[in-house]
Amino acid sequence: MIIQNTKAIMFDVYGTLFDVHSVIDECKKHFPEKGKSISEVWRKKQLEYSFLRGLMGNYRPFWSITKDALRFACKSENVELTGTIEEALLGSYLKLKPYGEAEGVLEKLKGHQLAVFSNGSEDMLHPLIEHYSLQTHFDYLISVNGIRQFKPQPSSYLYALEHLGVERHEVLFLSSNTWDIAGAKTFGFKVVWVNRSGDVMDEFGIQPDHIIGDLTGLLD
Amino acid sequence: MIIQNTKAIMFDVYGTLFDVHSVIDECKKHFPEKGKSISEVWRKKQLEYSFLRGLMGNYRPFWSITKDALRFACKSENVELTGTIEEALLGSYLKLKPYGEAEGVLEKLKGHQLAVFSNGSEDMLHPLIEHYSLQTHFDYLISVNGIRQFKPQPSSYLYALEHLGVERHEVLFLSSNTWDIAGAKTFGFKVVWVNRSGDVMDEFGIQPDHIIGDLTGLLD
């Protein structure tokens, strides 16, 4: 059983518990022709900006970076982002759809120490989780904003660990993001890659401890 | 004149002096249907892996990362990378085509202190520049490998600066890569964005001091 010998189970949020591309509908509403490409560039740049700000030592909360990435996506796709549309699109980020199996799996894990750990700042993470009343499942909602260092910086995983009161090898960390898997494994967590689309693992010379197709694999 | 009040002119290499996508021909030779997509994924992952290794504190020389990125590109495009093909494709990275105007512009800058500063390790940077006998134009060929910190980490720009014996605001740094422009400007260089494709600047709240369409703009 994957969760054997585990004292805490910690979940990444964006892409792991919630589908970041569920913003496509709102994107398409305002930009029918370009909804998909805007959603893709938006996510791509959101990640890239967090990595680059981490490297430059020029931290900004993820909510601010999410805005910047949306603005870039609209400029590069050559559409006008009015104040009203920006508000609507950012608003959709606070109501991303949870993956269908997520709540049922959390329910079955009752009794374990559970946490989320995200690059998202509290002002976006809490409203999202509370919108679906999922907060009762978790002992901790941990944001890197408390230490102003993004995943996959080792200091960010250390910050999360300090909440849990266990050793790093006793933490089972789940993410769908390969860079997060690499960072968490390098730090010393046991890691489970949630590979929903049958992707190829990145070439870091690092392999996840387990690979599952969706969160139900955690119960096997 | 852009180069006024400048004591050293420093060039990024990949994408700035040399066209990274000139490997397409070699890619197409081995994978006719997928040459373009392999070249694109290869470059995208090469950059991403350098950023992520920088964040994880898990440095490898860029030549090694370039290999990893090629392997990922072939796996994700579902083609078989034999040892012979790998050698041929990596070999093409040591003979990337310089942009047409590059040598003429370097010739006209004679008398100025000139340098290149690259994420590329010496084992890939020197063969490339020497293949076209361009080394005589430069006072320094500086690789981040000397400090094992990738651009855009501030420590890498500091390392480059230490070679030049001038103040940071006296350095004019040219790059076609927006993340390099943001990093160099944050560090304190004067920066020129070589925007060959009419791209949109990234949303870091940072603007280049100058934007030119190709290197000849430096002589204006």
Side-chain angles (χ1 to χ4, degrees):
Chain A
M1 202 181 178
I2 293 182
I3 61 173
Q4 233 164 6
N5 303 319
T6 287
K7 292 195 178 160
I9 305 172
M10 191 156 65
F11 297 85
D12 170 55
V13 174
Y14 299 107
T16 303
L17 292 174
F18 294 87
D19 182 359
V20 290
H21 289 297
S22 55
V23 296
I24 285 186
D25 292 345
E26 191 70 29
C27 288
K28 278 188 176 158
K29 208 166 102 185
H30 302 284
F31 310 115
E33 306 289 304
K34 295 185 168 172
K36 189 160 180 283
S37 55
I38 288 173
S39 165
E40 282 168 4
V41 176
W42 187 4
R43 173 65 174 168
K44 186 183 136 217
K45 285 289 168 175
Q46 181 197 45
L47 292 177
E48 193 183 302
Y49 290 179
S50 69
F51 298 154
L52 290 168
R53 284 191 174 277
L55 289 166
M56 292 192 285
N58 192 356
Y59 180 87
R60 292 282 180 290
F62 207 57
W63 185 237
S64 159
I65 284 178
T66 300
K67 262 188 228 179
D68 292 341
L70 173 61
R71 286 173 185 178
F72 177 89
C74 289
K75 273 188 200 163
S76 75
E77 293 294 315
N78 212 13
V79 298
E80 197 199 348
L81 182 67
T82 64
T84 314
I85 298 176
E86 183 175 273
E87 203 175 319
L89 288 174
L90 286 172
S92 71
Y93 227 92
L94 304 178
K95 299 177 180 178
L96 295 173
K97 292 201 186 83
Y99 286 104
E101 82 283 9
E103 186 158 15
V105 171
L106 292 171
E107 193 62 48
K108 288 197 175 135
L109 292 173
K110 219 170 186 163
H112 294 272
Q113 183 177 198
L114 301 183
V116 302
F117 175 42
S118 172
N119 271 344
S121 37
E122 300 84 351
D123 51 0
M124 62 193 293
L125 192 59
H126 291 198
L128 173 64
I129 289 174
E130 289 165 12
H131 183 71
Y132 296 98
S133 303
L134 293 176
Q135 70 277 12
T136 54
H137 293 286
F138 299 106
D139 299 287
Y140 302 99
L141 305 180
I142 309 168
S143 162
V144 299
N145 197 45
I147 192 173
R148 300 172 64 88
Q149 305 276 327
F150 287 116
K151 295 190 280 182
Q153 288 171 289
S155 49
S156 71
Y157 298 104
L158 180 60
Y159 173 74
L161 179 67
E162 286 168 349
H163 289 74
L164 305 175
V166 302
E167 299 296 319
R168 53 183 90 184
H169 66 273
E170 296 167 334
V171 175
L172 191 70
F173 179 69
L174 289 93
S175 182
S176 64
N177 298 297
T178 53
W179 50 267
D180 200 7
I181 289 296
K185 178 78 182 167
T186 299
F187 177 71
F189 291 156
K190 275 196 298 176
V191 298
V192 182
W193 181 26
V194 187
N195 184 10
R196 297 181 185 274
S197 320
D199 288 341
V200 175
M201 183 62 197
D202 271 307
E203 293 280 325
F204 290 116
I206 293 168
Q207 293 305 321
D209 297 290
H210 303 279
I211 303 177
I212 59 181
D214 66 36
L215 297 171
T216 59
L218 193 55
L219 306 172
D220 289 345
Chain B
M1 203 181 179
I2 293 182
I3 60 173
Q4 234 167 5
N5 303 320
T6 287
K7 290 193 177 164
I9 304 171
M10 190 154 67
F11 297 85
D12 170 56
V13 173
Y14 299 107
T16 304
L17 292 174
F18 294 87
D19 183 358
V20 289
H21 289 296
S22 56
V23 296
I24 284 185
D25 292 345
E26 192 69 28
C27 288
K28 279 188 176 159
K29 209 165 102 188
H30 303 282
F31 309 115
E33 306 291 303
K34 295 186 168 174
K36 188 160 181 282
S37 54
I38 289 174
S39 165
E40 282 169 2
V41 177
W42 188 4
R43 172 63 173 168
K44 184 184 137 216
K45 284 289 168 175
Q46 182 197 45
L47 292 177
E48 193 184 303
Y49 289 0
S50 69
F51 298 154
L52 290 168
R53 283 191 174 278
L55 289 166
M56 292 193 283
N58 193 356
Y59 179 88
R60 292 286 179 287
F62 206 59
W63 185 236
S64 162
I65 284 178
T66 301
K67 262 188 228 179
D68 292 341
L70 173 61
R71 286 173 185 177
F72 177 89
C74 289
K75 274 187 199 163
S76 76
E77 293 295 315
N78 212 11
V79 298
E80 198 199 349
L81 182 67
T82 64
T84 315
I85 298 176
E86 182 175 272
E87 204 175 318
L89 288 176
L90 286 172
S92 70
Y93 228 93
L94 305 177
K95 298 176 181 177
L96 295 173
K97 293 201 187 87
Y99 286 103
E101 81 283 9
E103 186 159 14
V105 170
L106 292 171
E107 194 60 50
K108 289 198 176 133
L109 292 174
K110 220 173 186 161
H112 294 271
Q113 183 176 200
L114 301 184
V116 300
F117 175 43
S118 174
N119 271 344
S121 37
E122 301 84 350
D123 52 359
M124 61 193 293
L125 192 60
H126 291 197
L128 174 63
I129 289 173
E130 287 164 13
H131 184 72
Y132 295 99
S133 304
L134 293 177
Q135 70 276 14
T136 53
H137 293 287
F138 298 106
D139 299 286
Y140 302 99
L141 305 180
I142 307 168
S143 163
V144 299
N145 196 45
I147 192 173
R148 298 173 65 88
Q149 305 277 329
F150 287 116
K151 296 189 278 181
Q153 289 171 287
S155 48
S156 70
Y157 298 103
L158 180 61
Y159 174 74
L161 178 67
E162 286 169 349
H163 290 74
L164 305 175
V166 302
E167 300 295 320
R168 54 183 88 184
H169 67 271
E170 295 166 334
V171 175
L172 190 70
F173 179 68
L174 289 93
S175 181
S176 65
N177 298 296
T178 52
W179 50 268
D180 199 8
I181 288 297
K185 178 78 183 170
T186 299
F187 177 71
F189 290 157
K190 275 195 300 177
V191 299
V192 182
W193 181 26
V194 186
N195 184 9
R196 294 179 187 278
S197 319
D199 287 339
V200 174
M201 183 61 195
D202 270 308
E203 292 281 324
F204 290 115
I206 292 169
Q207 292 306 321
D209 296 290
H210 303 278
I211 303 175
I212 59 182
D214 68 35
L215 297 171
T216 59
L218 193 55
L219 306 171
D220 290 345

